[in-house]
Amino acid sequence: MSGLAERLEAVRSGVADAAREAGRDPGEVTTIVVTKFHPESLIRELARLGVRDIGENRHQEAQAKARALADLDLRWHFVGQLQSKKARQVRAYASVIHSVDRDSLVDALRSDESTVDGFIQVNLTENPERGGVAPEALEPMVERVLATPGIRLLGLMAVAPLDEPARAAFARVRALSERVGAIAPAATALSMGMSHDYRDAILEGATHLRIGTAITGNRPTGG
Ligand SMILES: *Cc1c(COP(=O)(O)O)cnc(C)c1O
C-alpha cells in the first residue's frame, strides 16, 4: 500500500482547493474513503492517517470489516444497493446509509429504538437497474422517510452518469435538493463526487464525497 499517505494528502489538498474555489469552507465537506475489495489492513492504515469515515458497498464485506475493526473509532457508510431483507443487519453497524431508494427499504429501516442517518439516492440515468429513485418519484419518497421513525434524512445521494458531464449532472442534483428542502428543510446534505469528479461535485455543493481509488489505489479485484 505504498503511497497511501501521499494519495490521501493529494486528495485532501484537492478538496480544500475546490472548496476555496467554490467559496466554501473545506470543513463542511466530509471525505468518505471507499475501501471495497481492500483488506482490513488498509483501513487500519487509513485510521492511523486520521481517516474516520469509511465507505463500503456490499453487506457481507462491510459487516466483516466493521466487526474486525471495532477497536477503531470509525464511522461506516453503506454506499451500495441494499436489499430490504439486509436492512436491519446493515443498520447495526452503519452510521449512514447512502442508498435509500425503495419503499420496502424505508419500511425495513423503521425502528423505535435507534436512529440511522440516510440519504435518498436519486437515479440520474434512464436505467432503473442503476439504483436510486427516479426524480419524478422523489417527493413521495421524502415524505415516506420523514414519516418513518428510526431514519434521519440527511439529503440526496447520486452517482454521475457516464454519458453526461459530471458538473451538469451534479447541478441537476442540486436543483432536486432544493425541492427536497421545501419539504424537509434540514435535509440539505449532498453525497456526490467520486475519484474522478469530486471537484465538480464540490463546486455544485457536495457535503459528502465518496472517494475510492484516488486514495486507495486500484482495487485488488474487479469493482
Ligand atoms: C466504489 C464507489 C465509489 C468510489 O469510487 P471511485 O471511483 O473509486 O472513487 C463511490 N460511490 C459508490 C456508490 C461506489 O460504489
Side-chain angles (χ1 to χ4, degrees):
M1 67 185 72
S2 67
L4 185 65
E6 289 75 12
R7 289 191 299 270
L8 178 63
E9 194 43 48
V11 168
R12 282 176 171 156
S13 65
V15 168
D17 287 348
R20 267 191 295 275
E21 192 182 332
R24 302 179 55 202
D25 173 2
E28 69 184 47
V29 180
T30 300
T31 298
I32 299 154
V33 184
V34 180
T35 51
K36 61 193 183 204
F37 299 104
H38 285 284
E40 289 152 24
S41 56
L42 179 128
I43 303 174
R44 284 199 181 276
E45 188 64 31
L46 286 167
R48 270 193 288 275
L49 295 167
V51 171
R52 285 288 162 269
D53 291 280
I54 299 291
E56 288 283 337
N57 74 337
R58 294 185 310 172
H59 164 57
Q60 281 193 328
E61 180 179 347
Q63 183 184 49
K65 287 174 173 174
R67 279 184 184 150
L69 299 169
D71 58 307
L72 302 176
D73 180 26
L74 298 174
R75 288 166 47 83
W76 294 89
H77 297 253
F78 193 85
V79 304
Q81 285 191 40
L82 178 52
Q83 293 173 277
S84 305
K85 62 181 183 192
K86 299 284 164 62
R88 297 200 79 77
Q89 291 178 61
V90 169
R91 65 171 295 153
Y93 58 82
S95 301
V96 190
I97 297 175
H98 290 242
S99 45
V100 176
D101 67 351
R102 265 162 303 124
D103 290 354
S104 59
L105 178 55
V106 176
D107 296 349
L109 288 168
R110 165 184 287 268
S111 169
D112 293 317
E113 277 99 57
S114 65
T115 299
V116 68
D117 287 341
F119 286 94
I120 293 176
Q121 181 175 355
V122 284
N123 187 349
L124 299 177
T125 75
E126 301 293 320
N127 178 359
E129 306 277 296
R130 297 304 297 265
V133 276
E136 311 81 74
L138 184 56
E139 275 90 350
M141 182 63 63
V142 172
E143 303 277 11
R144 193 175 193 101
V145 173
L146 292 177
T148 304
I151 318 176
R152 185 170 73 118
L153 182 62
L154 295 186
L156 297 181
M157 180 277 219
V159 177
L162 296 173
D163 59 358
E164 177 184 358
R167 179 95 193 244
F170 294 144
R172 289 202 280 142
V173 183
R174 186 204 271 266
L176 292 171
S177 168
E178 280 162 23
R179 274 166 45 185
V180 173
I183 321 174
T188 53
L190 289 174
S191 168
M192 58 189 193
M194 306 178 15
S195 290
H196 297 292
D197 55 22
Y198 71 82
R199 184 179 163 278
D200 287 327
I202 291 168
L203 294 174
E204 293 298 338
T207 57
H208 293 68
L209 311 173
R210 306 179 314 270
I211 301 188
T213 50
I215 293 172
T216 61
N218 288 331
R219 288 184 269 274
T221 54

